Amino acid sequence: MSTSSPSVGGKVVAAALAGDELATEVLYEAGVALGEAAAMLTSVLDPERIVFTGGLMRGAGDLLFEPARAAFLRRLAPPNMASKDLLEVSSATTDPIVFGAGNRASQIASSTLLLSAYPYR
């Protein structure tokens, strides 16, 4: 028997998908904030692509992503950058952060084992 329950974000998404106006507004405002933050980072870092991932983004879909995209395009500076639609939602069904963290842990473990086996290396 699983004792896990949906996260607060998951509950908000479920409520919004069921038509709850307050939950929909929360996702809209979160999307706007996300898009504005992405635009600020784009102005500084000039990335080729920004990929949003995770269960919340996949679950909320356009309720979160479309306000993010609109805010992103509105906030880009200078105005000629507004044609840069760099945002996308990952189609990965698993969370790449978990794989990245697992890969890094494996690298650390390997180097630690190597150093303990060959301390004079």
Side-chain angles (χ1 to χ4, degrees):
M1 182 169 133
S2 175
T3 58
S4 66
S5 61
S7 66
V8 172
K11 290 177 183 177
V12 171
V13 169
L17 293 174
D20 183 286
E21 290 182 28
L22 180 58
T24 302
E25 181 66 22
V26 167
L27 290 179
Y28 175 84
E29 292 296 329
V32 168
L34 190 60
E36 289 177 348
M40 287 186 266
L41 287 172
T42 297
S43 296
V44 174
L45 302 175
D46 194 25
E48 290 184 25
R49 177 83 39 214
I50 299 174
V51 181
F52 297 116
T53 187
L56 185 63
M57 181 58 80
R58 285 190 304 273
D62 286 346
L63 291 174
L64 186 58
F65 186 66
E66 287 308 318
R69 173 179 272 147
F72 175 78
L73 293 173
R74 267 194 318 272
R75 295 280 287 184
L76 279 178
N80 63 343
M81 289 183 67
S83 64
K84 291 179 85 171
D85 190 2
L86 309 174
L87 305 183
E88 68 180 60
V89 176
S90 172
S91 60
T93 57
T94 55
D95 195 344
I97 293 171
V98 173
F99 289 112
N103 185 42
R104 183 66 182 133
S106 175
Q107 290 172 345
I108 291 169
S110 294
S111 66
T112 302
L113 290 173
L114 184 63
L115 287 175
S116 64
Y118 301 100
Y120 302 107
R121 194 165 194 234

